[in-house]
Amino acid sequence: MVFPEYRPRRMRRNATLRAMIRETRLSAEQLVLPVFVQPGRGRREAIASMPGVCRLTVDELVKEARACLQCGLRALILFGLPEKKDALGSGAYAKNGIVQQALRTLKDKVPEMLLITDVCLCEYTDHGHCGCLHGREVDNDATLELLARTALSHAEAGADMVAPSDMMDGRVAEIRSTLDEAGLYQVPIMSYAVKYASAFYGPFRDAADSTPQFGDRRAYQMDPANSREALREATLDVEEGADILMVKPALSSLDIIRQVRDEFDLPVAAYQVSGEYAMIKAAAANGWIDEARVMAESLLAIRRAGADIIISYFAKDMARALGEKA
């Protein structure tokens, strides 16, 4: 048998060679850990559908942030669980809301940590939808003011970046204008530019108690069947002033991450969502897969698709594993 002159296996013979020519690399600096902050003190409530993830009070969140820094993880994205909910989601933009409290405390206690905030109303509304209602429909334009108020309150409390996830038309422009008018032009917007109405969000809704009381979110989140629409959505957010474009969910949207990466020169983020995390955890708990290897492989796939930033519930574990290998 005559072999080709080039034999690819030559460069796979040992770990040093493989590492030397590795095309895609993952580092802790590219990872963001989502955290759920709740009222009270000294409480860490486990989330059954997301093993290893807890709802944290502000004091416990400070401990978590310090633990993250120790393993090289330097960014969090905050989701709030208010004491009370109402039709307008007023806890989202309250001056002393739970996320605002957490921001001020973290900036005081752990100033090295980069703090991103989710800007949406679904965790704060008693109906569970991402905006205020007109009858049984989400009123897009009336919601914009509330989202901008939320982003402004987060920035004033110390957020380094705001991340609108609501999928209302025009919200990036409204938030950018509001921040700029307040002199907060240095605060970037990481837009959930492509957010599909995905079945992979189930465990998050348990964690944030944000399941809609009626209907669903398919009237404002995107149809998972659509890719050309993803580029139209991203284009709109670029034109409105987004600084980073996010694709969500990540693993079932690797093709979309690549298309967004190829089309735009802004940084691209991807969110490995709760259901993607929970599936890996469940399979590992049953002994069907090697959790550490699948964790790393899944995150590398997201990077290989073109994401510069990865939001993942595995972020701390992955950062720790990367530190141990260094």
Side-chain angles (χ1 to χ4, degrees):
M1 181 180 292
V2 178
F3 283 93
E5 189 171 324
Y6 176 64
R7 295 192 180 208
R9 284 188 58 187
R10 290 174 182 150
M11 299 304 294
R12 302 174 192 153
R13 292 182 57 229
N14 60 56
T16 301
L17 276 173
R18 291 192 296 272
M20 188 178 292
I21 63 168
R22 186 162 294 140
E23 297 174 26
T24 305
R25 298 182 184 274
L26 187 64
S27 69
E29 288 84 359
Q30 298 158 335
L31 302 173
V32 180
L33 179 70
V35 292
F36 299 95
V37 58
Q38 64 179 351
R41 186 167 182 80
R43 293 164 51 211
R44 299 177 70 96
E45 293 182 358
I47 301 165
S49 57
M50 299 174 69
V53 180
C54 296
R55 302 182 190 92
L56 306 171
T57 52
V58 173
D59 57 317
E60 291 295 322
L61 178 55
V62 169
K63 296 176 185 176
E64 184 73 5
R66 287 171 173 160
C68 288
L69 286 178
Q70 288 179 353
C71 60
L73 183 63
R74 302 181 64 85
L76 304 175
I77 183 167
L78 279 63
F79 296 88
L81 287 77
E83 285 192 70
K84 296 180 180 179
K85 303 188 179 194
D86 59 37
L88 296 179
S90 60
Y93 43 87
K95 184 175 182 179
N96 203 37
I98 187 61
V99 167
Q100 290 82 351
Q101 293 177 44
L103 287 166
R104 287 191 288 267
T105 301
L106 286 168
K107 278 298 173 188
D108 178 53
K109 303 291 186 182
V110 198
E112 308 94 326
M113 185 63 72
L114 180 80
L115 302 177
I116 307 166
T117 59
D118 177 74
V119 175
C120 193
L121 302 184
C122 64
E123 300 112 288
Y124 303 90
T125 54
D126 53 14
H127 47 75
H129 280 285
C130 298
C132 57
L133 300 180
H134 181 72
R136 292 173 70 87
E137 296 281 339
V138 175
D139 188 329
N140 187 97
D141 293 5
T143 298
L144 297 182
E145 179 189 355
L146 303 183
L147 294 169
R149 288 175 63 184
T150 301
L152 178 60
S153 72
H154 290 177
E156 290 177 337
D160 297 295
M161 184 185 302
V162 294
S165 64
D166 55 283
M167 290 301 285
M168 297 297 118
D169 296 340
R171 88 273 202 214
V172 172
E174 185 77 12
I175 290 169
R176 184 72 274 158
S177 175
T178 299
L179 293 175
D180 289 354
E181 287 175 6
L184 294 166
Y185 46 83
Q186 79 279 10
V187 176
I189 298 173
M190 178 167 64
S191 171
Y192 287 63
V194 182
K195 183 178 180 180
Y196 287 109
S198 173
F200 287 105
Y201 304 153
F204 175 93
R205 290 172 184 170
D206 292 341
D209 189 25
S210 62
T211 301
Q213 296 301 301
F214 63 89
D216 55 38
R217 296 182 176 132
R218 284 181 284 187
Y220 42 98
Q221 294 178 1
M222 285 179 51
D223 185 341
N226 295 352
S227 60
R228 293 191 301 273
E229 184 185 15
L231 296 182
R232 290 199 297 273
E233 283 277 7
T235 298
L236 288 170
D237 285 359
V238 171
E239 292 172 349
E240 291 178 22
D243 299 283
I244 299 171
L245 301 173
M246 188 200 298
V247 176
K248 177 184 179 182
L251 290 174
S252 60
S253 306
L254 295 177
D255 60 324
I256 306 301
I257 296 171
R258 172 46 56 188
Q259 289 182 54
V260 172
R261 170 71 290 146
D262 289 344
E263 184 73 16
F264 303 100
D265 58 6
L266 292 180
V268 176
Y271 198 145
Q272 186 183 43
V273 300
S274 59
E276 296 170 326
Y277 169 86
M279 288 193 303
I280 294 173
K281 281 287 189 177
N286 278 284
W288 299 335
I289 60 172
D290 181 323
E291 180 180 326
R293 290 187 64 189
V294 172
M295 169 185 71
E297 187 174 333
S298 67
L299 295 173
L300 273 171
I302 298 166
R303 280 279 295 131
R304 191 177 67 240
D308 303 291
I309 300 163
I310 303 174
I311 301 170
S312 172
Y313 300 94
F314 281 120
K316 187 168 73 166
D317 292 340
M318 191 70 245
R320 184 181 294 115
L322 290 166
E324 290 170 355
K325 290 179 182 178

